[in-house]
Amino acid sequence: MLRFLFRRSLGAIVILLIISAFTFFLFFAAPRDPALLACGKNCTPDAIAMIHKNLGLDKPVPVQYWLFMSGIVTGRDFAVGHCPAPCFGYSFANGDPVWDTIVDRFPTTVSLTIGAAAVFLGVGVGTGMIAAWKQGKLIDKIFSSSSLVLSSMQIYFIGPIVLALLVYNLGWFGQPKYVPLLDDPVGWFLGLIIPWCVLSVIFTAQYTRMARSSMIEQLQEDHVRTAKAKGMASRTVFFRYAWRGSLIPIVTIFGIDLGSLFGGAMITEYVFALPGLGTLAVKSVQNTDLPMTMGVMLFAATFIILFNIVVDACYAFIDPRVRLS
């Protein structure tokens, strides 16, 4: 297990370095000078030169990249003061510390992501298992057909429709918003229930089909057929043998889908005007705000990679045949 975690950690560091280098050097390929954003409308050449010096933009790009990456570990000194580790610098747009802004926005994104994952895993896997249990019957056909329709939906299409219908026309729900969980658990749930459902629509359809096919395949395995031949009850065979084995491909795909879920969360935040990392990333790209863009990219990439490592480590607990060697 330790060798596996060490190997995956080294791979994660390499991936993060590639992502950071690509984003950093791509930023400087843009023709817009970030000093103009920080300078404002009434800007003079002397003011631009001073901003370049204060932000470190007067140094060569490779040197800037090294200072940025080393600052994450050791901290960094700026003209405005010392930035303690983990230091992602200060926003070009408003001068706020990048790390503090990310920490402030992260609870919204993680609440949206975890809630949507709980919805599509519970509903998608549950309906898929029921469809496999009732294979060939009416309920199987209903679930299978519904999943095909829902898989064609897109967040930017279904989000405004649901918002207009359930919030503005029928008034069944209030305007989606983020409320801290510890401050108001009920308000937190009611404020995010519509974004959860919208974000989980496509994934629910995918996991319904996946769970159904995986369960049907497991029911044809030799050990399951042997258990049936020994006279074990169908319900016992279904939940004790087939159900556990069918989770392996679902867990595998869930680890891969986390990146897509984060991407969908960013779109969902933008559609419902939620103050998360998604809206922060969009605004930072629009404003040519390199420190904020880099901070969000690296933070999201680190979270996704760590989650994938945890998912891989869980394989051995789900299926004893899996060995992390």
Side-chain angles (χ1 to χ4, degrees), residues 113 166 228 238 244 251:
T113 303
L166 299 182
K228 290 181 179 179
F238 187 88
R244 187 176 183 181
V251 172

Side-chain angles (χ1 to χ4, degrees), residues 110 139 165 234 247 274 313:
V110 75
I139 191 171
L165 180 63
S234 298
L247 291 180
L274 297 174

Side-chain angles (χ1 to χ4, degrees), residues 55-128:
L55 298 179
L57 298 174
D58 57 335
K59 298 179 176 63
V61 175
V63 175
Q64 293 186 48
Y65 176 70
W66 167 253
L67 292 175
F68 179 86
M69 296 303 296
S70 61
I72 297 176
V73 180
T74 62
R76 186 177 173 186
D77 291 321
F78 288 89
V80 295
H82 178 73
C83 176
C87 176
F88 289 91
Y90 296 90
S91 170
F92 289 166
N94 51 33
D96 293 337
V98 173
W99 177 250
D100 293 345
T101 305
I102 292 175
V103 171
D104 183 62
R105 297 290 190 99
F106 181 64
T108 303
T109 300
V110 75
S111 296
L112 180 60
T113 303
I114 293 177
V119 171
F120 74 70
L121 283 176
V123 177
V125 175
T127 54

Side-chain angles (χ1 to χ4, degrees), residues 3-21:
R3 290 178 57 190
F4 165 78
L5 294 176
F6 179 74
R7 191 167 59 248
R8 290 301 303 271
S9 298
L10 288 179
I13 293 174
V14 173
I15 293 174
L16 290 175
L17 288 175
I18 293 174
I19 293 174
S20 64

Side-chain angles (χ1 to χ4, degrees), residues 113-242:
T113 303
I114 293 177
V119 171
F120 74 70
L121 283 176
V123 177
V125 175
T127 54
M129 296 296 179
I130 294 174
W133 176 261
K134 302 295 184 180
Q135 182 182 3
K137 297 184 179 180
L138 178 61
I139 191 171
D140 177 26
K141 296 178 181 179
I142 292 175
F143 285 158
S144 300
S145 301
S146 300
S147 65
L148 291 175
V149 175
L150 293 176
S151 62
S152 64
M153 299 293 183
Q154 297 297 327
I155 296 172
Y156 54 80
F157 171 75
I158 193 174
I161 293 178
V162 172
L163 193 63
L165 180 63
L166 299 182
V167 176
Y168 299 132
N169 290 341
L170 298 178
W172 291 355
F173 296 92
Q175 178 71 29
K177 60 181 179 179
Y178 173 74
V179 178
L181 175 61
L182 298 180
D183 293 346
D184 184 5
V186 176
W188 172 82
F189 178 83
L190 295 178
L192 293 176
I193 187 170
I194 290 181
W196 286 342
C197 294
V198 170
L199 177 56
S200 64
V201 164
I202 299 176
F203 293 96
T204 299
Q206 295 174 352
Y207 279 77
T208 296
R209 298 198 306 271
M210 188 191 314
R212 178 184 181 276
S213 60
S214 179
M215 177 58 72
I216 291 176
E217 181 180 350
Q218 284 295 314
L219 291 173
Q220 305 301 320
E221 292 288 338
D222 292 339
H223 67 283
V224 176
R225 299 173 66 179
T226 301
K228 290 181 179 179
K230 290 182 177 180
M232 295 185 66
S234 298
R235 188 180 300 273
T236 303
V237 173
F238 187 88
F239 288 102
R240 185 174 180 180
Y241 295 98

